[in-house]
Amino acid sequence: MEVKTFYNLIEWTRELHAKLATCLAHCASRHDDERASMLLEYLASHETEMEKMVAAFERQADPKAVHTYVYDYIPHNPITTHLVCDDHYAKLDAGAISTEVFDFHEQIIDLYQSLVGKAEIREAAELVQSLLAMEEHETKRLVRQIERMDDL
């Protein structure tokens, strides 16, 4: 997807979360390790929740903000992660799975942080700040939940 406006950015982010959720769920039943399988299931459900949260931004965002162009402010392929739905995550241990998913979220956070100061209108800056706050909060929540799983 080519990202030209903030609406495209939101849609693209929503699709990334959806693809990751699908891929994680696909691998959960294929993993030999029960702990890693449970982690994949949890991560898939969390990514599905995040997809819904991002979709809410699509519906509720200020029209002035979503139609603002961002094309010049972001790299053409800013997020790298394994989103081809093969058995990639089924071959990783729980630590490597967590590392990849956390890296995915950090890349989104970095992208939003870079856009906060570049938005030219107040409504767009507020939209990106809200997306950033949601992504940061959910990533922190995810880290805490996975740490709790490790404690068990």
Side-chain angles (χ1 to χ4, degrees), residues 15-103:
E15 288 177 7
L16 284 175
H17 285 294
K19 287 178 184 175
L20 184 57
T22 300
C23 195
L24 293 168
H26 169 82
C27 290
S29 63
R30 289 169 170 70
H31 209 292
D32 295 334
D33 179 39
E34 184 179 352
R35 180 172 173 266
S37 181
M38 289 176 21
L39 175 63
L40 287 166
E41 287 175 13
Y42 173 74
L43 291 170
S45 69
H46 190 267
E47 291 301 321
T48 299
E49 283 181 41
M50 291 198 68
E51 175 194 4
K52 292 174 184 173
M53 288 180 215
V54 174
F57 280 94
E58 286 177 309
R59 293 187 303 274
Q60 299 170 0
D62 185 317
K64 196 185 295 186
V66 295
H67 296 299
T68 301
Y69 283 92
V70 295
Y71 187 77
D72 295 334
Y73 301 128
I74 61 174
H76 294 287
N77 294 309
I79 305 295
T80 57
T81 192
H82 188 87
L83 293 177
V84 176
C85 207
D86 55 12
D87 289 343
H88 173 73
Y89 292 105
K91 298 172 187 167
L92 300 178
D93 66 14
I97 293 166
S98 296
T99 299
E100 280 201 23
V101 172
F102 295 152
D103 181 61

Side-chain angles (χ1 to χ4, degrees), residues 95-128:
I97 293 166
S98 296
T99 299
E100 280 201 23
V101 172
F102 295 152
D103 181 61
F104 168 78
H105 286 276
E106 285 302 318
Q107 288 180 63
I108 293 174
I109 289 169
D110 290 345
L111 174 62
Y112 288 160
Q113 285 174 333
S114 74
L115 289 174
V116 167
K118 296 176 183 175
E120 294 179 2
I121 65 170
R122 180 183 52 79
E123 293 86 354
E126 289 171 356
L127 174 62
V128 175

